[in-house]
Amino acid sequence: MTTATTVLDRVHVEVHPSGREVRGAHDAVLLHGIGGAASSCAPLAARLAAAGLTCWCPDAPGYARSQDPHAGIDPVDEIADVVRAVSPDRPVVLLGTSWGGVIAMALALRHPDLVAALVVVDSTRGSGTSSSKAAAMRSRVTDLADRGPAAVAAERAGALTAPDADPSVTAEVRRTMSAVRLPGFAVAAEFMATTDLDAALSSIAAPTLVLVGEHDTITGVDESRLLAERIPGAGFRIVPDAGHVAIQEHPGAVADHVLDFLGNLP
């Protein structure tokens, strides 16, 4: 007799249990960026859990402790299955950073029943907004294959943090990027290269908060502001002294913004 496998057999998920009971609180699912892993979300998840939100942080398919993606995988539907598995009875607060933010917005559009509230951090409409951006994203796959993740991380990690970032944060970003595997990165990059959410943003129905680091030079403040302007009713906040990885540089400030946002929902 064979045992049926589930998405949680393929996708590793870190759980940060709620530190206290908060009546009516939804669980939160935190999605990392294209060079990250579930561990990138851990400092923020710990703070949200202490405030009463059980947080689930998946390693995307092909990242860290998750299995490599199967042929034809749809990363949005795969994460939707993760959401259903960890919170089968209630929609979740879905928080995505960078590439994870694009996944989160696409999921909110495709599976609105799964999302009680949406938080998008240092993100973008996707790299399919222009042919040059799409080509640049695809070229990163070739670069990773040719030079290896350690060399790519050594070159890129410093650009993800603010100029005066804690060196230990930059070192952690570099360590995580150095462990990126080509199968997962290739799927993520192709998803980004083929995605342009511009025309769909006005159809996002979930209450939304958009956050961006003051010194984000990767996706940029203007892109995040555009997301907030196009998503109906979205809030917009800039995280001071943070770069593209605001959730790692200033998890306390990001958590405060998220908790304030959730506390003001009907």
Side-chain angles (χ1 to χ4, degrees), residues 17 28 34 49 71 108 110 123-124 142 197 203 208 225:
I34 199 168
R110 197 182 301 178
S123 196
T124 172
T142 303
L197 296 178
S203 297
T208 302
R225 184 178 285 111

Side-chain angles (χ1 to χ4, degrees), residues 1 118 173 194 207 240 263:
M1 175 175 163
L118 179 65
V173 171
T194 56

